[in-house]
Amino acid sequence: MIMRALVFTEPGRAEVQRVPVPVAAEGQVVVDVERAGVCGTDVELFTGEMSYLSSGRSSYPLRPGHEWAGVVTAAGPGVDPSWLGRRVTGDTMIACGSCRRCRSGRHHVCAAMREIGIADGLPGALAEKVAFPARFLHALPDGLDATAGALVEPGGNAERAVTAAGLAPGERLLILGTGTIGLLAAMIARSRGIEVHLLGQQLGFARSLGFEQAWTLPELPELEWDAVVDASNAPQLPGLAVRLVEPGRRVVYIGLAGTPSTVDTRELVLKDVTAVGILGASAGLSSIAATYAEGLVRPEPLVAAVVGLDDVARVLAGHRPGNAGDGPKILVDPSLRAG
């Protein structure tokens, strides 16, 4: 049997190919993909700028897609059959499960870790179906639809970033960047009673979500920032985050620039600042799914458009669909056909 899947064949080239339908091997399920997200990592893999391509961790041809939700339609040997028919998402970080890091709860930095849709060896979910290890599945709460489900992975990243900031209700958080992760972090922080400010350039959409305290850099008020989360891709902002944060508090880095960033460690030391890096959503997946299900954070307004697989190459090349709203996120419904 054959299905359609997006394939990156070389830098700047993506095409929808007809590939064999996956079969659930031992310990795996097959998921019919309902929604998958397009994110900055996919763009870097498409353009060839992703560092994994130069290090050999990723190579072409590559099948992308690591933000997704769908329904389990097949279960391989050794998999609990109760997964069948359930709407799920999954951890991007697929680890060995037996090394020291995995045993200590750090599977997302396992030396043998593979990343679905990013690193070689695990085809991603920008396809009609995806095979996935049951050990890394997350069942979505009843009532959570596929749109919210596909935003669990970015939401898990944002949830980890907000938690790492270590703030109490009423304290003040500055978030650098108004993309999907930055806005989700702002929504999560607001749901926890934290005073949220945003720094960015295109601020109209952020303000439409109720974040009136959104600033460009020249407008940024001189306030005491109890924590700063850098969710941008600008190489100059990691250093700015350290300069802005209150002494003795935290800076959280979740954004990645395409070129190296400079942080003056003298400022870290002399201000007694804690800097935290966030890699992946693993530890935040279950909690953000519950937060969505409880209605504490509604991620759906971030979705600008839902397109089919045939439209993804244009999206990756920087073209927004003609019917797109103002949100930063494009989702893909693999069942949609061109025309």
Side-chain angles (χ1 to χ4, degrees):
M1 296 180 64
I2 300 297
M3 70 172 187
R4 302 170 78 239
L6 188 72
V7 181
F8 296 161
T9 57
E10 60 185 57
R13 184 174 178 84
E15 57 188 49
V16 179
Q17 296 183 358
R18 295 175 70 81
V19 301
V21 169
V23 176
E26 184 171 358
Q28 286 187 333
V29 299
V30 172
V31 177
D32 283 11
V33 179
E34 296 178 294
R35 294 288 188 277
V38 178
C39 87
T41 299
D42 300 315
V43 174
E44 290 188 356
L45 289 167
F46 170 72
T47 61
E49 298 171 346
M50 176 68 173
S51 61
Y52 281 9
L53 292 163
S54 57
S55 70
R57 187 172 174 82
S58 303
S59 63
Y60 300 110
L62 186 146
R63 283 173 46 187
H66 62 278
E67 303 175 0
W68 57 274
V71 175
V72 177
T73 54
V79 174
D80 186 340
S82 68
W83 281 112
L84 290 169
R86 301 192 72 176
R87 178 171 285 136
V88 297
T89 188
D91 198 335
T92 301
M93 312 304 202
I94 311 301
C96 74
S98 58
C99 70
R100 184 169 177 262
R101 294 177 190 173
C102 288
R103 294 195 310 271
S104 65
R106 295 177 292 137
H107 83 267
H108 62 296
V109 289
C110 169
M113 185 262 295
R114 298 177 294 164
E115 296 171 77
I116 181 173
I118 298 175
D120 287 347
L122 289 172
L126 280 166
E128 292 177 326
K129 297 175 182 286
V130 65
F132 193 81
R135 188 158 57 96
F136 293 94
L137 281 176
H138 286 259
L140 295 177
D142 292 341
L144 202 67
D145 66 11
T147 295
L151 290 165
V152 165
E153 197 278 343
N157 279 278
E159 194 275 343
R160 289 192 64 214
V162 173
T163 298
L167 295 179
E171 292 191 300
R172 185 180 295 122
L173 171 64
L174 177 63
I175 297 172
L176 312 183
T178 54
T180 299
I181 299 295
L183 291 173
L184 283 169
M187 290 174 165
I188 293 163
R190 180 171 62 187
S191 76
R192 299 180 182 182
I194 294 166
E195 180 186 322
V196 178
H197 295 248
L198 286 156
L199 177 69
Q201 294 177 321
Q202 304 296 325
L203 300 174
F205 181 69
R207 289 175 178 147
S208 77
L209 298 175
F211 296 106
E212 294 297 333
Q213 298 180 112
W215 318 97
T216 62
L217 186 56
E219 299 170 335
L220 188 68
E222 293 185 10
L223 298 173
E224 296 176 348
W225 306 110
D226 298 314
V228 179
V229 170
D230 178 15
S232 77
N233 59 4
Q236 71 275 18
L237 291 188
L240 176 65
V242 176
R243 293 193 292 276
L244 290 175
V245 74
E246 274 289 282
R249 303 309 296 263
R250 290 188 168 208
V251 171
V252 181
Y253 294 113
I254 191 167
L256 287 174
T259 57
S261 303
T262 300
V263 173
D264 189 340
T265 58
R266 293 172 298 181
E267 291 185 277
L268 283 173
V269 171
L270 295 174
K271 292 180 67 175
D272 196 26
V273 168
T274 299
V276 183
I278 299 295
L279 174 68
S282 301
L285 292 171
S286 295
S287 57
I288 194 62
T291 297
Y292 289 172
E294 292 167 13
L296 299 175
V297 169
R298 299 303 303 253
E300 293 88 350
L302 301 186
V303 178
V306 178
V307 302
L309 289 170
D310 299 289
D311 301 309
V312 177
R314 283 181 54 80
V315 170
L316 291 165
H319 300 282
R320 285 179 73 82
N323 62 344
D326 295 329
K329 177 59 69 174
I330 304 295
L331 293 186
V332 179
D333 178 351
S335 70
L336 294 178
R337 299 295 182 106

